[in-house]
């Protein structure tokens, strides 16, 4: 039995979603998911350090073999793009220090892989993640669902 553990990550300064899935002989098994949250009340550097430390704790607990992270996509707000880019840098550093290879996919690729259409809305993605992972309820919040969708995408692209 060959098992691969993949961690999906939806990067963000206020909310960083994560989802961990095992791929075992072509089937998917949900391990864990959640969101790392930081407060706008905190100093910017403290928020980045919090993301790093909490992600490291998740990595230490679940020991993923590889990671997937959504590429940056912004249509309007440059200041939020910069904050997400900084969070993404901290996440990339954390993964590199743990020797975990990271693969990146565009949001449209993730939606298309999970739902069959690149224009799927968040609710549709959540429902497909629920079905694919045999969950009783759709994963919430959407940052965690997006991270799980990213992990599913990576498994389908590289492993199945």
């Amino acid at each position: 039995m060959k098992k691969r553990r993949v961690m999906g990550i939806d990067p963000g300064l206020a909310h960083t979603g994560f989802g961990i899935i095992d791929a075992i002989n072509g089937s998917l098994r949900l391990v864990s998911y959640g969101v790392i949250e930081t407060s706008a009340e905190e100093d910017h550097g403290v928020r980045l350090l919090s993301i790093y430390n909490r992600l490291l704790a998740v990595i230490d607990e679940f020991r993923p073999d590889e990671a997937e992270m959504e590429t940056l996509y912004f249509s309007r707000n440059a200041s939020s793009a910069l904050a997400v880019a900084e969070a993404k840098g901290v996440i990339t550093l954390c993964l590199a220090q743990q020797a975990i290879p990271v693969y990146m996919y565009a949001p449209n690729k993730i939606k298309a892989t999970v739902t069959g259409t690149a224009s799927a809305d968040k609710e549709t993605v959540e429902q497909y993640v629920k079905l694919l992972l045999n969950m009783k309820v759709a994963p919430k919040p959407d940052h965690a669902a997006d991270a799980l969708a990213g992990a599913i995408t990576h498994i389908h692209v590289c492993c199945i």
Side-chain angles (χ1 to χ4, degrees):
M1 177 170 76
K2 181 170 166 59
K3 178 182 88 166
R4 294 174 72 171
R5 180 161 286 178
V6 176
M7 170 187 259
I9 302 169
D10 181 34
L13 182 61
H15 305 96
T16 292
F18 67 88
I20 300 164
I21 298 173
D22 285 344
I24 306 168
N25 296 330
S27 64
L28 303 175
R29 185 178 70 83
L30 174 65
V31 176
S32 184
Y33 66 94
V35 175
I36 297 167
E37 295 182 350
T38 67
S39 170
E41 315 270 314
E42 294 177 299
D43 178 70
H44 187 74
V46 170
R47 293 175 81 182
L48 293 171
L49 183 59
S50 179
I51 292 168
Y52 176 91
N53 287 332
R54 290 161 69 193
L55 183 63
L56 187 58
V58 171
I59 291 168
D60 285 345
E61 181 176 354
F62 296 106
R63 298 284 179 207
D65 300 308
E66 51 203 276
E68 173 283 335
M69 187 164 27
E70 194 173 282
T71 59
L72 292 179
Y73 168 77
F74 292 95
S75 55
R76 293 188 189 113
N77 193 337
S79 63
S80 70
L82 202 55
V84 173
E86 289 176 326
K88 189 174 176 188
V90 165
I91 293 163
T92 302
L93 172 66
C94 186
L95 293 167
Q97 286 180 327
Q98 300 304 306
I100 299 171
V102 62
Y103 302 86
M104 298 196 192
Y105 301 96
N108 287 347
K109 170 70 173 173
I110 294 169
K111 290 177 188 178
T113 301
V114 172
T115 71
T117 178
S119 61
D121 62 17
K122 290 203 174 282
E123 179 65 30
T124 302
V125 171
E126 290 169 7
Q127 290 304 316
Y128 272 85
V129 167
K130 174 187 165 195
L131 290 170
L132 291 167
L133 296 176
N134 198 26
M135 301 170 75
K136 291 187 189 324
V137 296
K140 296 283 184 182
D142 60 348
H143 301 288
D146 289 348
L148 288 168
I152 291 167
T153 298
H154 178 64
I155 290 165
H156 279 276
V157 167
C158 81
C159 310
I160 295 178

